[in-house]
PDB file of all heavy atoms in Angstrom:
ATOM      1  N   THR W   9     148.373  63.499  97.129  1.00  0.00           N
ATOM      2  CA  THR W   9     149.303  63.515  95.988  1.00  0.00           C
ATOM      3  C   THR W   9     150.648  62.882  96.326  1.00  0.00           C
ATOM      4  O   THR W   9     151.436  62.594  95.426  1.00  0.00           O
ATOM      5  CB  THR W   9     149.538  64.961  95.519  1.00  0.00           C
ATOM      6  OG1 THR W   9     150.127  65.722  96.590  1.00  0.00           O
ATOM      7  CG2 THR W   9     148.239  65.614  95.089  1.00  0.00           C
ATOM      8  N   GLY W  10     150.921  62.710  97.621  1.00  0.00           N
ATOM      9  CA  GLY W  10     152.183  62.123  98.034  1.00  0.00           C
ATOM     10  C   GLY W  10     153.349  63.091  98.053  1.00  0.00           C
ATOM     11  O   GLY W  10     154.507  62.671  98.170  1.00  0.00           O
ATOM     12  N   ASP W  11     153.092  64.390  97.934  1.00  0.00           N
ATOM     13  CA  ASP W  11     154.170  65.384  97.923  1.00  0.00           C
ATOM     14  C   ASP W  11     153.831  66.503  98.913  1.00  0.00           C
ATOM     15  O   ASP W  11     153.243  67.513  98.560  1.00  0.00           O
ATOM     16  CB  ASP W  11     154.356  65.951  96.515  1.00  0.00           C
ATOM     17  CG  ASP W  11     155.683  66.684  96.365  1.00  0.00           C
ATOM     18  OD1 ASP W  11     156.259  67.083  97.393  1.00  0.00           O
ATOM     19  OD2 ASP W  11     156.147  66.857  95.218  1.00  0.00           O
ATOM     20  N   TYR W  12     154.211  66.307 100.153  1.00  0.00           N
ATOM     21  CA  TYR W  12     153.903  67.283 101.197  1.00  0.00           C
ATOM     22  C   TYR W  12     154.698  68.574 101.015  1.00  0.00           C
ATOM     23  O   TYR W  12     154.161  69.676 101.171  1.00  0.00           O
ATOM     24  CB  TYR W  12     154.211  66.690 102.586  1.00  0.00           C
ATOM     25  CG  TYR W  12     153.270  65.593 102.999  1.00  0.00           C
ATOM     26  CD1 TYR W  12     153.608  64.252 102.813  1.00  0.00           C
ATOM     27  CD2 TYR W  12     152.036  65.894 103.583  1.00  0.00           C
ATOM     28  CE1 TYR W  12     152.748  63.236 103.202  1.00  0.00           C
ATOM     29  CE2 TYR W  12     151.173  64.887 103.984  1.00  0.00           C
ATOM     30  CZ  TYR W  12     151.528  63.563 103.787  1.00  0.00           C
ATOM     31  OH  TYR W  12     150.667  62.561 104.183  1.00  0.00           O
ATOM     32  N   LEU W  13     155.971  68.470 100.701  1.00  0.00           N
ATOM     33  CA  LEU W  13     156.833  69.647 100.625  1.00  0.00           C
ATOM     34  C   LEU W  13     156.394  70.603  99.525  1.00  0.00           C
ATOM     35  O   LEU W  13     156.356  71.821  99.724  1.00  0.00           O
ATOM     36  CB  LEU W  13     158.287  69.233 100.407  1.00  0.00           C
ATOM     37  CG  LEU W  13     159.312  70.371 100.376  1.00  0.00           C
ATOM     38  CD1 LEU W  13     159.236  71.212 101.648  1.00  0.00           C
ATOM     39  CD2 LEU W  13     160.721  69.817 100.159  1.00  0.00           C
ATOM     40  N   ALA W  14     156.053  70.060  98.362  1.00  0.00           N
ATOM     41  CA  ALA W  14     155.632  70.911  97.248  1.00  0.00           C
ATOM     42  C   ALA W  14     154.407  71.732  97.622  1.00  0.00           C
ATOM     43  O   ALA W  14     154.336  72.935  97.340  1.00  0.00           O
ATOM     44  CB  ALA W  14     155.340  70.054  96.018  1.00  0.00           C
ATOM     45  N   ASN W  15     153.451  71.094  98.272  1.00  0.00           N
ATOM     46  CA  ASN W  15     152.224  71.797  98.637  1.00  0.00           C
ATOM     47  C   ASN W  15     152.426  72.773  99.799  1.00  0.00           C
ATOM     48  O   ASN W  15     151.783  73.822  99.842  1.00  0.00           O
ATOM     49  CB  ASN W  15     151.125  70.777  98.969  1.00  0.00           C
ATOM     50  CG  ASN W  15     150.617  70.074  97.731  1.00  0.00           C
ATOM     51  OD1 ASN W  15     149.891  70.646  96.936  1.00  0.00           O
ATOM     52  ND2 ASN W  15     151.034  68.820  97.538  1.00  0.00           N
ATOM     53  N   LEU W  16     153.322  72.438 100.713  1.00  0.00           N
ATOM     54  CA  LEU W  16     153.636  73.385 101.788  1.00  0.00           C
ATOM     55  C   LEU W  16     154.312  74.636 101.221  1.00  0.00           C
ATOM     56  O   LEU W  16     154.015  75.760 101.649  1.00  0.00           O
ATOM     57  CB  LEU W  16     154.541  72.730 102.826  1.00  0.00           C
ATOM     58  CG  LEU W  16     153.857  71.844 103.866  1.00  0.00           C
ATOM     59  CD1 LEU W  16     154.899  71.114 104.706  1.00  0.00           C
ATOM     60  CD2 LEU W  16     152.937  72.679 104.767  1.00  0.00           C
ATOM     61  N   LEU W  17     155.195  74.446 100.248  1.00  0.00           N
ATOM     62  CA  LEU W  17     155.881  75.591  99.657  1.00  0.00           C
ATOM     63  C   LEU W  17     154.917  76.477  98.872  1.00  0.00           C
ATOM     64  O   LEU W  17     154.954  77.712  98.999  1.00  0.00           O
ATOM     65  CB  LEU W  17     157.013  75.117  98.746  1.00  0.00           C
ATOM     66  CG  LEU W  17     158.266  74.588  99.445  1.00  0.00           C
ATOM     67  CD1 LEU W  17     159.219  73.964  98.431  1.00  0.00           C
ATOM     68  CD2 LEU W  17     158.965  75.706 100.221  1.00  0.00           C
ATOM     69  N   LEU W  18     154.064  75.849  98.061  1.00  0.00           N
ATOM     70  CA  LEU W  18     153.162  76.631  97.222  1.00  0.00           C
ATOM     71  C   LEU W  18     151.927  77.114  97.993  1.00  0.00           C
ATOM     72  O   LEU W  18     151.672  78.323  98.089  1.00  0.00           O
ATOM     73  CB  LEU W  18     152.724  75.812  96.006  1.00  0.00           C
ATOM     74  CG  LEU W  18     153.727  75.674  94.870  1.00  0.00           C
ATOM     75  CD1 LEU W  18     153.133  74.863  93.731  1.00  0.00           C
ATOM     76  CD2 LEU W  18     154.166  77.045  94.348  1.00  0.00           C
ATOM     77  N   MET W  19     151.149  76.179  98.529  1.00  0.00           N
ATOM     78  CA  MET W  19     149.906  76.546  99.211  1.00  0.00           C
ATOM     79  C   MET W  19     150.169  77.237 100.543  1.00  0.00           C
ATOM     80  O   MET W  19     149.357  78.076 100.978  1.00  0.00           O
ATOM     81  CB  MET W  19     149.050  75.297  99.457  1.00  0.00           C
ATOM     82  CG  MET W  19     148.540  74.628  98.206  1.00  0.00           C
ATOM     83  SD  MET W  19     147.547  73.171  98.610  1.00  0.00           S
ATOM     84  CE  MET W  19     146.121  73.923  99.408  1.00  0.00           C
ATOM     85  N   GLY W  20     151.295  76.899 101.172  1.00  0.00           N
ATOM     86  CA  GLY W  20     151.594  77.499 102.455  1.00  0.00           C
ATOM     87  C   GLY W  20     152.302  78.825 102.321  1.00  0.00           C
ATOM     88  O   GLY W  20     151.712  79.892 102.492  1.00  0.00           O
ATOM     89  N   PHE W  21     153.573  78.789 101.943  1.00  0.00           N
ATOM     90  CA  PHE W  21     154.396  79.991 101.987  1.00  0.00           C
ATOM     91  C   PHE W  21     154.190  80.931 100.794  1.00  0.00           C
ATOM     92  O   PHE W  21     154.004  82.135 100.981  1.00  0.00           O
ATOM     93  CB  PHE W  21     155.867  79.582 102.114  1.00  0.00           C
ATOM     94  CG  PHE W  21     156.175  78.918 103.418  1.00  0.00           C
ATOM     95  CD1 PHE W  21     156.285  77.534 103.499  1.00  0.00           C
ATOM     96  CD2 PHE W  21     156.322  79.660 104.572  1.00  0.00           C
ATOM     97  CE1 PHE W  21     156.559  76.912 104.711  1.00  0.00           C
ATOM     98  CE2 PHE W  21     156.597  79.050 105.788  1.00  0.00           C
ATOM     99  CZ  PHE W  21     156.712  77.675 105.862  1.00  0.00           C
ATOM    100  N   ALA W  22     154.249  80.412  99.574  1.00  0.00           N
ATOM    101  CA  ALA W  22     154.094  81.290  98.402  1.00  0.00           C
ATOM    102  C   ALA W  22     152.717  81.947  98.401  1.00  0.00           C
ATOM    103  O   ALA W  22     152.596  83.155  98.163  1.00  0.00           O
ATOM    104  CB  ALA W  22     154.304  80.487  97.122  1.00  0.00           C
ATOM    105  N   ARG W  23     151.683  81.176  98.663  1.00  0.00           N
ATOM    106  CA  ARG W  23     150.328  81.721  98.690  1.00  0.00           C
ATOM    107  C   ARG W  23     150.176  82.795  99.758  1.00  0.00           C
ATOM    108  O   ARG W  23     149.568  83.848  99.527  1.00  0.00           O
ATOM    109  CB  ARG W  23     149.341  80.563  98.931  1.00  0.00           C
ATOM    110  CG  ARG W  23     147.862  80.934  98.901  1.00  0.00           C
ATOM    111  CD  ARG W  23     147.309  81.348 100.248  1.00  0.00           C
ATOM    112  NE  ARG W  23     147.755  80.472 101.309  1.00  0.00           N
ATOM    113  CZ  ARG W  23     147.614  80.768 102.590  1.00  0.00           C
ATOM    114  NH1 ARG W  23     147.057  81.907 102.963  1.00  0.00           N
ATOM    115  NH2 ARG W  23     148.059  79.926 103.523  1.00  0.00           N
ATOM    116  N   LEU W  24     150.758  82.559 100.935  1.00  0.00           N
ATOM    117  CA  LEU W  24     150.638  83.519 102.030  1.00  0.00           C
ATOM    118  C   LEU W  24     151.334  84.830 101.686  1.00  0.00           C
ATOM    119  O   LEU W  24     150.783  85.921 101.908  1.00  0.00           O
ATOM    120  CB  LEU W  24     151.227  82.931 103.310  1.00  0.00           C
ATOM    121  CG  LEU W  24     151.075  83.774 104.580  1.00  0.00           C
ATOM    122  CD1 LEU W  24     149.609  84.039 104.874  1.00  0.00           C
ATOM    123  CD2 LEU W  24     151.744  83.084 105.753  1.00  0.00           C
ATOM    124  N   VAL W  25     152.535  84.754 101.128  1.00  0.00           N
ATOM    125  CA  VAL W  25     153.283  85.963 100.770  1.00  0.00           C
ATOM    126  C   VAL W  25     152.550  86.754  99.689  1.00  0.00           C
ATOM    127  O   VAL W  25     152.428  87.986  99.770  1.00  0.00           O
ATOM    128  CB  VAL W  25     154.711  85.599 100.304  1.00  0.00           C
ATOM    129  CG1 VAL W  25     155.412  86.813  99.704  1.00  0.00           C
ATOM    130  CG2 VAL W  25     155.512  85.047 101.471  1.00  0.00           C
ATOM    131  N   ILE W  26     152.042  86.061  98.682  1.00  0.00           N
ATOM    132  CA  ILE W  26     151.311  86.740  97.599  1.00  0.00           C
ATOM    133  C   ILE W  26     150.051  87.405  98.147  1.00  0.00           C
ATOM    134  O   ILE W  26     149.759  88.567  97.828  1.00  0.00           O
ATOM    135  CB  ILE W  26     150.962  85.746  96.476  1.00  0.00           C
ATOM    136  CG1 ILE W  26     152.231  85.302  95.763  1.00  0.00           C
ATOM    137  CG2 ILE W  26     149.987  86.379  95.482  1.00  0.00           C
ATOM    138  CD1 ILE W  26     152.015  84.162  94.784  1.00  0.00           C
ATOM    139  N   THR W  27     149.301  86.693  98.979  1.00  0.00           N
ATOM    140  CA  THR W  27     148.082  87.256  99.548  1.00  0.00           C
ATOM    141  C   THR W  27     148.389  88.467 100.417  1.00  0.00           C
ATOM    142  O   THR W  27     147.665  89.470 100.381  1.00  0.00           O
ATOM    143  CB  THR W  27     147.336  86.200 100.384  1.00  0.00           C
ATOM    144  OG1 THR W  27     147.048  85.073  99.565  1.00  0.00           O
ATOM    145  CG2 THR W  27     146.019  86.764 100.921  1.00  0.00           C
ATOM    146  N   HIS W  28     149.461  88.383 101.194  1.00  0.00           N
ATOM    147  CA  HIS W  28     149.859  89.528 102.019  1.00  0.00           C
ATOM    148  C   HIS W  28     150.100  90.766 101.164  1.00  0.00           C
ATOM    149  O   HIS W  28     149.477  91.814 101.371  1.00  0.00           O
ATOM    150  CB  HIS W  28     151.137  89.202 102.793  1.00  0.00           C
ATOM    151  CG  HIS W  28     150.890  88.520 104.098  1.00  0.00           C
ATOM    152  ND1 HIS W  28     151.876  87.871 104.806  1.00  0.00           N
ATOM    153  CD2 HIS W  28     149.761  88.385 104.850  1.00  0.00           C
ATOM    154  CE1 HIS W  28     151.382  87.368 105.921  1.00  0.00           C
ATOM    155  NE2 HIS W  28     150.097  87.661 105.958  1.00  0.00           N
ATOM    156  N   HIS W  29     150.990  90.653 100.212  1.00  0.00           N
ATOM    157  CA  HIS W  29     151.438  91.847  99.509  1.00  0.00           C
ATOM    158  C   HIS W  29     150.429  92.371  98.490  1.00  0.00           C
ATOM    159  O   HIS W  29     150.408  93.579  98.222  1.00  0.00           O
ATOM    160  CB  HIS W  29     152.806  91.601  98.877  1.00  0.00           C
ATOM    161  CG  HIS W  29     153.887  91.506  99.901  1.00  0.00           C
ATOM    162  ND1 HIS W  29     154.462  92.606 100.497  1.00  0.00           N
ATOM    163  CD2 HIS W  29     154.472  90.421 100.492  1.00  0.00           C
ATOM    164  CE1 HIS W  29     155.356  92.222 101.384  1.00  0.00           C
ATOM    165  NE2 HIS W  29     155.392  90.898 101.409  1.00  0.00           N
ATOM    166  N   THR W  30     149.582  91.511  97.943  1.00  0.00           N
ATOM    167  CA  THR W  30     148.521  92.036  97.078  1.00  0.00           C
ATOM    168  C   THR W  30     147.517  92.840  97.895  1.00  0.00           C
ATOM    169  O   THR W  30     147.016  93.878  97.444  1.00  0.00           O
ATOM    170  CB  THR W  30     147.801  90.901  96.321  1.00  0.00           C
ATOM    171  OG1 THR W  30     147.384  89.885  97.243  1.00  0.00           O
ATOM    172  CG2 THR W  30     148.706  90.294  95.271  1.00  0.00           C
ATOM    173  N   THR W  31     147.228  92.386  99.103  1.00  0.00           N
ATOM    174  CA  THR W  31     146.363  93.173  99.987  1.00  0.00           C
ATOM    175  C   THR W  31     147.044  94.476 100.378  1.00  0.00           C
ATOM    176  O   THR W  31     146.418  95.551 100.354  1.00  0.00           O
ATOM    177  CB  THR W  31     146.022  92.379 101.265  1.00  0.00           C
ATOM    178  OG1 THR W  31     145.377  91.157 100.912  1.00  0.00           O
ATOM    179  CG2 THR W  31     145.093  93.181 102.170  1.00  0.00           C
ATOM    180  N   PHE W  32     148.325  94.407 100.711  1.00  0.00           N
ATOM    181  CA  PHE W  32     149.044  95.609 101.133  1.00  0.00           C
ATOM    182  C   PHE W  32     149.155  96.627 100.003  1.00  0.00           C
ATOM    183  O   PHE W  32     149.236  97.840 100.263  1.00  0.00           O
ATOM    184  CB  PHE W  32     150.455  95.241 101.626  1.00  0.00           C
ATOM    185  CG  PHE W  32     150.483  94.264 102.771  1.00  0.00           C
ATOM    186  CD1 PHE W  32     151.661  93.584 103.096  1.00  0.00           C
ATOM    187  CD2 PHE W  32     149.343  94.005 103.531  1.00  0.00           C
ATOM    188  CE1 PHE W  32     151.698  92.685 104.154  1.00  0.00           C
ATOM    189  CE2 PHE W  32     149.368  93.099 104.576  1.00  0.00           C
ATOM    190  CZ  PHE W  32     150.547  92.437 104.896  1.00  0.00           C
ATOM    191  N   PHE W  33     149.174  96.151  98.744  1.00  0.00           N
ATOM    192  CA  PHE W  33     149.254  97.079  97.610  1.00  0.00           C
ATOM    193  C   PHE W  33     148.046  98.018  97.550  1.00  0.00           C
ATOM    194  O   PHE W  33     148.156  99.127  97.020  1.00  0.00           O
ATOM    195  CB  PHE W  33     149.370  96.312  96.290  1.00  0.00           C
ATOM    196  CG  PHE W  33     150.785  95.924  95.945  1.00  0.00           C
ATOM    197  CD1 PHE W  33     151.055  94.678  95.396  1.00  0.00           C
ATOM    198  CD2 PHE W  33     151.833  96.797  96.171  1.00  0.00           C
ATOM    199  CE1 PHE W  33     152.364  94.322  95.077  1.00  0.00           C
ATOM    200  CE2 PHE W  33     153.146  96.445  95.857  1.00  0.00           C
ATOM    201  CZ  PHE W  33     153.408  95.196  95.312  1.00  0.00           C
ATOM    202  N   ILE W  34     146.924  97.583  98.079  1.00  0.00           N
ATOM    203  CA  ILE W  34     145.743  98.457  98.091  1.00  0.00           C
ATOM    204  C   ILE W  34     145.989  99.640  99.017  1.00  0.00           C
ATOM    205  O   ILE W  34     145.565 100.761  98.741  1.00  0.00           O
ATOM    206  CB  ILE W  34     144.487  97.675  98.536  1.00  0.00           C
ATOM    207  CG1 ILE W  34     144.229  96.524  97.573  1.00  0.00           C
ATOM    208  CG2 ILE W  34     143.270  98.594  98.583  1.00  0.00           C
ATOM    209  CD1 ILE W  34     144.067  96.944  96.140  1.00  0.00           C
ATOM    210  N   ASN W  35     146.669  99.398 100.128  1.00  0.00           N
ATOM    211  CA  ASN W  35     146.963 100.477 101.067  1.00  0.00           C
ATOM    212  C   ASN W  35     148.072 101.392 100.566  1.00  0.00           C
ATOM    213  O   ASN W  35     148.123 102.566 100.938  1.00  0.00           O
ATOM    214  CB  ASN W  35     147.388  99.900 102.422  1.00  0.00           C
ATOM    215  CG  ASN W  35     146.338  98.987 103.015  1.00  0.00           C
ATOM    216  OD1 ASN W  35     145.158  99.124 102.742  1.00  0.00           O
ATOM    217  ND2 ASN W  35     146.781  98.039 103.838  1.00  0.00           N
ATOM    218  N   SER W  36     148.953 100.862  99.746  1.00  0.00           N
ATOM    219  CA  SER W  36     150.117 101.635  99.303  1.00  0.00           C
ATOM    220  C   SER W  36     150.013 102.042  97.839  1.00  0.00           C
ATOM    221  O   SER W  36     149.729 103.211  97.524  1.00  0.00           O
ATOM    222  CB  SER W  36     151.398 100.824  99.533  1.00  0.00           C
ATOM    223  OG  SER W  36     151.343  99.564  98.865  1.00  0.00           O
ATOM    224  N   LEU W  37     150.212 101.099  96.931  1.00  0.00           N
ATOM    225  CA  LEU W  37     150.292 101.411  95.504  1.00  0.00           C
ATOM    226  C   LEU W  37     149.016 102.054  94.976  1.00  0.00           C
ATOM    227  O   LEU W  37     149.068 102.956  94.123  1.00  0.00           O
ATOM    228  CB  LEU W  37     150.603 100.128  94.724  1.00  0.00           C
ATOM    229  CG  LEU W  37     151.098 100.296  93.284  1.00  0.00           C
ATOM    230  CD1 LEU W  37     152.362 101.134  93.237  1.00  0.00           C
ATOM    231  CD2 LEU W  37     151.343  98.935  92.653  1.00  0.00           C
ATOM    232  N   ALA W  38     147.857 101.609  95.458  1.00  0.00           N
ATOM    233  CA  ALA W  38     146.584 102.168  94.985  1.00  0.00           C
ATOM    234  C   ALA W  38     146.344 103.586  95.498  1.00  0.00           C
ATOM    235  O   ALA W  38     145.355 104.215  95.122  1.00  0.00           O
ATOM    236  CB  ALA W  38     145.420 101.262  95.400  1.00  0.00           C
ATOM    237  N   HIS W  39     147.238 104.085  96.338  1.00  0.00           N
ATOM    238  CA  HIS W  39     147.174 105.490  96.771  1.00  0.00           C
ATOM    239  C   HIS W  39     148.269 106.319  96.103  1.00  0.00           C
ATOM    240  O   HIS W  39     148.410 107.510  96.387  1.00  0.00           O
ATOM    241  CB  HIS W  39     147.313 105.585  98.292  1.00  0.00           C
ATOM    242  CG  HIS W  39     146.054 105.251  99.024  1.00  0.00           C
ATOM    243  ND1 HIS W  39     145.164 106.208  99.464  1.00  0.00           N
ATOM    244  CD2 HIS W  39     145.521 104.057  99.381  1.00  0.00           C
ATOM    245  CE1 HIS W  39     144.154 105.621 100.081  1.00  0.00           C
ATOM    246  NE2 HIS W  39     144.349 104.314 100.032  1.00  0.00           N
ATOM    247  N   TYR W  40     149.046 105.686  95.207  1.00  0.00           N
ATOM    248  CA  TYR W  40     150.145 106.373  94.532  1.00  0.00           C
ATOM    249  C   TYR W  40     149.992 106.409  93.010  1.00  0.00           C
ATOM    250  O   TYR W  40     150.408 107.363  92.362  1.00  0.00           O
ATOM    251  CB  TYR W  40     151.478 105.679  94.863  1.00  0.00           C
ATOM    252  CG  TYR W  40     152.103 106.122  96.151  1.00  0.00           C
ATOM    253  CD1 TYR W  40     151.652 105.605  97.359  1.00  0.00           C
ATOM    254  CD2 TYR W  40     153.141 107.053  96.176  1.00  0.00           C
ATOM    255  CE1 TYR W  40     152.218 106.001  98.558  1.00  0.00           C
ATOM    256  CE2 TYR W  40     153.714 107.458  97.370  1.00  0.00           C
ATOM    257  CZ  TYR W  40     153.246 106.930  98.564  1.00  0.00           C
ATOM    258  OH  TYR W  40     153.798 107.331  99.754  1.00  0.00           O
ATOM    259  N   TRP W  41     149.442 105.356  92.440  1.00  0.00           N
ATOM    260  CA  TRP W  41     149.530 105.160  90.988  1.00  0.00           C
ATOM    261  C   TRP W  41     148.145 104.952  90.409  1.00  0.00           C
ATOM    262  O   TRP W  41     147.451 104.009  90.783  1.00  0.00           O
ATOM    263  CB  TRP W  41     150.434 103.947  90.725  1.00  0.00           C
ATOM    264  CG  TRP W  41     150.617 103.589  89.281  1.00  0.00           C
ATOM    265  CD1 TRP W  41     150.618 104.441  88.216  1.00  0.00           C
ATOM    266  CD2 TRP W  41     150.834 102.281  88.750  1.00  0.00           C
ATOM    267  NE1 TRP W  41     150.821 103.753  87.054  1.00  0.00           N
ATOM    268  CE2 TRP W  41     150.957 102.418  87.348  1.00  0.00           C
ATOM    269  CE3 TRP W  41     150.940 101.005  89.324  1.00  0.00           C
ATOM    270  CZ2 TRP W  41     151.173 101.326  86.512  1.00  0.00           C
ATOM    271  CZ3 TRP W  41     151.162  99.934  88.485  1.00  0.00           C
ATOM    272  CH2 TRP W  41     151.280 100.092  87.103  1.00  0.00           C
ATOM    273  N   GLY W  42     147.731 105.843  89.504  1.00  0.00           N
ATOM    274  CA  GLY W  42     146.442 105.670  88.850  1.00  0.00           C
ATOM    275  C   GLY W  42     145.727 106.990  88.599  1.00  0.00           C
ATOM    276  O   GLY W  42     146.319 108.076  88.661  1.00  0.00           O
TER     277      GLY W  42
END
C-alpha cells in the first residue's frame, strides 16, 4: 500500500493493545459483571 507507518500503528500497536485487554477482560470483567 506504500504506507508503512499507518499499518504499523493499526496492525501493530492498536491491534496488540485491543487483543491484550479483550483477553484480560475475561479474567477480570467476566468475573464481576453479568
Side-chain angles (χ1 to χ4, degrees):
T9 61
D11 196 340
Y12 290 97
L13 183 56
N15 288 286
L16 279 172
L17 285 172
L18 283 181
M19 294 180 67
F21 294 101
R23 184 271 316 167
L24 185 59
V25 170
I26 292 171
T27 303
H28 273 165
H29 289 280
T30 51
T31 302
F32 302 164
F33 275 140
I34 300 303
N35 302 333
S36 57
L37 196 58
H39 281 264
Y40 276 80
W41 179 31

